[in-house]
Amino acid sequence: MIQDQSYFIALAVYLGSALLALCCLFWWLRRSWQPVWRWLLLLTGLALLLTPAYPYEGVDTLAPALVVAGFQILTAGPEAAQHALRPLGAALGAALVLTLLLRILFLRRQ
């Protein structure tokens, strides 16, 4: 069984590496992609990598929803993954809406 301290360390390592990878990708694409596409990629990546979900019923720890959905689809079928796919869909929708708002408010062409 996982202890509280090792769970929090693993969670911090996962969150830190996901944020670092997305920030590096955002910085690397700064000259070749338009700002709106970079923000869409960043926010979509944040939604996919940082959305939490419970692995299965009766568990108190969280896991990345993308990983939970992938394992549930491969092992138990798409119906079993609905509890992880719903938050992923909501997070992706929020990322799209936020990107559109950024485009309308701040990333306008001169």
Side-chain angles (χ1 to χ4, degrees):
M1 191 55 120
I2 220 170
Q3 297 175 351
D4 287 342
Q5 185 179 8
S6 61
Y7 171 72
F8 288 124
I9 290 172
L11 191 61
V13 167
Y14 176 79
L15 293 174
S17 61
L19 288 172
L20 182 65
L22 287 171
C23 288
C24 288
L25 185 63
F26 188 78
W27 180 77
W28 183 53
L29 294 172
R30 74 186 186 283
R31 293 182 192 249
S32 58
W33 283 21
Q34 293 179 2
V36 69
W37 293 113
R38 285 188 299 145
W39 280 103
L40 180 64
L41 177 72
L42 178 73
L43 293 173
T44 304
L46 287 172
L48 288 175
L49 293 176
L50 301 182
T51 302
Y54 291 107
Y56 47 89
E57 207 170 307
V59 176
D60 294 334
T61 58
L62 293 170
L66 185 65
V67 174
V68 171
F71 279 119
Q72 290 292 329
I73 287 172
L74 292 175
T75 59
E79 298 82 26
Q82 290 302 315
H83 73 281
L85 290 174
R86 272 185 253 121
L88 272 177
L92 286 172
L96 182 62
V97 167
L98 190 56
T99 304
L100 288 174
L101 285 174
L102 281 172
R103 171 76 168 115
I104 291 169
L105 297 176
F106 299 111
L107 301 175
R108 289 184 266 163
R109 293 184 185 241
Q110 302 299 342

